[in-house]
Amino acid sequence: MTKVLEVIYGFGYGGIRAFIMNYLNFLDKDKFKVDIYVFGYESSPFTDKVKELGANIFFEPENNAAKKPWLFVKQLEKFMKEHGPYDVVHANTNLISAWVLLAAKKANVPVRLAHSHSASHFGESWKQNLYSYLRRFMIDRLATKKLACGQLAGETMYGKNAKFEVIANGISLDRFMYRNEKRIEELKHKFNIPNGAKIYANVTRMDPQKNHLFAIEVFREIHKIDPKAIFLYGGVTPKISPTVEVVKAKIAEYGLTDYCRYTGPVMDVEQLYHMTDLWIYCSAYEGLPFGPIELQAASIPVIASDVITDEIDLGLGLVHFLSLNDNPKKWAELAACIQKKQIPSDIIIKAFQTHNFDIRQGVKKLEAIYEGN
């Protein structure tokens, strides 16, 4: 049996956690035994689910990767030796993968995988970039294979001429295509949604990357067009750079409190998708996010910022791109004229398979990589 260690910062409601859980659902349990090492947090709302799927999850509350990488490497190497031996270490940690792979090398792990889940790895200062290039150099020499969630995410982390493999953010189509009318009504009641109101949303992690303040500017303009519209916002609030109070203050300043709903984390987000009419996905930077992919499986339209790779567009007519340089009024006018429509399931399935976003396709590729191929 191949023993795999997944390494990740936090294990909350974010996309990287979703990636691991999605693939864990479909990995061959007779061939692969998975442990998950979570640093920077001491618990997760998904612990029980991980265990149900036959994996172990371990928490290191300290996050030494940023300021004390030597200590991080020492802790992780010790963990690998005590809980291994591991055949594979899969670093789902962007450029922090350098330190994860160093620990794996010191622990004599034969298959060492770096994974880029973002398209933003370099800062504005020369010091930040020097440090980033150092870690890229280390990854290039320590990784036995380099992975990315998409082409743009790979090129920005490893370099445009680097060799890497794309492992798509595959999803279970059955889960996101299924519409549970009873649950949708429960959610409408929970969030006090008036009958007939058009529902816009940006329920994503509450940090600057997701650009919630811009989404509020857009909804402010939508409200002028459609005063009955409702806006849902706010997933998990991370320890680093939380923005929820700033967003709530801006909503109050614009007099929109009665028309906005803070959802907090939602476990069955697929039913929240089905409840909504359109998503404003205005991230300041991204790799290849799960949200727009999942929304297309649910047949929900999305307006996405053009910093997001066009790899998210599966050709179903559901994804519309605008620039963050366009004013919020332009976003609002487009949002207001897009009508929700149900795309036949066979067309959705074909599109996902064509673009390799069906999890059943992706898991075969990942299993081959874990086996050293």
Side-chain angles (χ1 to χ4, degrees):
M1 182 174 284
T2 300
K3 192 167 185 180
V4 181
L5 179 65
E6 304 283 351
V7 181
I8 180 174
Y9 168 72
F11 207 74
Y13 293 85
I16 303 177
R17 187 277 314 162
F19 170 86
I20 292 175
M21 291 286 283
N22 287 348
Y23 277 91
L24 187 56
N25 265 288
F26 289 89
L27 277 174
D28 188 335
K29 305 301 189 297
D30 293 328
K31 291 184 178 179
F32 302 94
K33 175 63 179 175
V34 176
D35 288 349
I36 301 172
Y37 180 90
V38 179
F39 64 94
Y41 284 76
E42 59 187 18
S43 63
S44 165
F46 296 94
T47 296
D48 290 341
K49 182 62 176 175
V50 166
K51 293 177 179 178
E52 286 175 16
L53 293 171
N56 299 314
I57 187 165
F58 303 89
F59 296 92
E60 170 48 62
E62 297 296 322
N63 178 13
N64 292 309
K67 295 184 178 180
K68 299 179 182 178
W70 64 91
L71 181 56
F72 176 79
V73 172
K74 184 178 179 180
Q75 289 173 325
L76 188 50
E77 179 192 357
K78 181 181 178 184
F79 175 89
M80 290 177 188
K81 289 179 175 178
E82 289 179 349
H83 294 84
Y86 289 102
D87 303 291
V88 182
V89 166
H90 186 175
N92 294 279
T93 47
N94 295 322
L95 283 173
I96 292 173
S97 297
W99 310 121
V100 177
L101 298 179
L102 180 57
K105 177 72 173 179
K106 291 165 69 70
N108 299 312
V109 179
V111 177
R112 301 179 298 276
L113 308 173
H115 202 136
S116 174
H117 290 274
S118 173
S120 179
H121 301 284
F122 293 82
E124 296 181 0
S125 75
W126 68 268
K127 286 184 179 181
Q128 286 177 314
N129 285 334
L130 183 63
Y131 185 47
S132 293
Y133 278 114
L134 168 65
R135 290 181 292 173
R136 174 191 278 184
F137 177 84
M138 291 176 63
I139 289 168
D140 192 49
R141 280 147 184 80
L142 291 168
T144 57
K145 188 160 286 189
K146 290 174 279 192
L147 310 176
C149 65
Q151 190 66 27
L152 180 62
E155 289 178 357
T156 53
M157 180 158 146
Y158 306 121
K160 288 200 172 183
N161 298 318
K163 184 179 179 182
F164 59 88
E165 289 195 39
V166 172
I167 301 293
N169 287 350
I171 65 170
S172 170
L173 289 174
D174 292 341
R175 175 188 170 194
F176 290 96
M177 289 171 61
Y178 172 64
R179 181 182 173 93
N180 185 331
E181 296 294 347
K182 181 180 178 181
R183 178 56 177 156
I184 290 169
E185 288 304 314
E186 289 174 353
L187 288 169
K188 284 185 176 181
H189 179 74
K190 177 180 179 180
F191 296 122
N192 190 26
I193 308 294
N195 290 332
K198 193 170 181 179
I199 305 170
Y200 299 87
N202 182 24
V203 180
T204 53
R205 188 175 67 253
M206 295 296 297
D207 70 23
Q209 174 192 351
K210 301 301 183 180
N211 213 6
H212 287 274
L213 288 174
F214 185 83
I216 297 303
E217 298 292 341
V218 174
F219 182 70
R220 184 188 189 192
E221 296 298 327
I222 290 173
H223 181 70
K224 294 175 184 177
I225 300 169
D226 179 6
K228 293 182 179 179
I230 297 294
F231 181 64
L232 306 180
Y233 71 99
V236 69
T237 300
K239 293 181 181 179
I240 300 175
S241 303
T243 60
V244 62
E245 296 306 323
V246 176
V247 173
K248 286 182 176 180
K250 182 61 69 175
I251 289 170
E253 177 187 333
Y254 288 159
L256 295 172
T257 302
D258 290 343
Y259 306 96
C260 297
R261 309 286 190 268
Y262 174 66
T263 67
V266 178
M267 292 293 281
D268 54 345
V269 70
E270 65 275 12
Q271 298 310 319
L272 187 74
Y273 289 162
H274 284 288
M275 186 183 79
T276 59
D277 291 282
L278 182 138
W279 280 58
I280 301 167
Y281 219 94
C282 53
S283 299
Y285 59 89
E286 282 282 3
L288 201 160
F290 267 98
I293 303 299
E294 295 171 345
L295 284 159
Q296 288 173 88
S299 203
I300 306 299
V302 181
I303 302 179
S305 56
D306 63 0
V307 301
I308 301 174
T309 173
D310 59 9
E311 295 168 272
I312 65 169
D313 187 355
L314 305 187
L316 293 166
L318 293 169
V319 178
H320 308 263
F321 289 100
L322 284 177
S323 171
L324 293 174
N325 293 322
D326 290 325
N327 61 48
K329 184 177 180 181
K330 184 174 180 178
W331 282 65
E333 289 172 346
L334 177 59
C337 73
I338 294 173
Q339 296 299 315
K340 182 177 178 181
K341 59 182 179 180
Q342 185 61 48
I343 295 175
S345 59
D346 60 328
I347 294 177
I348 292 174
I349 292 168
K350 184 177 180 181
F352 270 77
Q353 290 177 344
T354 299
H355 291 83
N356 297 313
F357 283 105
D358 186 332
I359 191 70
R360 291 173 178 83
Q361 295 169 300
V363 75
K364 293 177 183 177
K365 187 173 183 179
L366 189 63
E367 286 179 347
I369 291 170
Y370 283 172
E371 290 174 331
N373 299 321

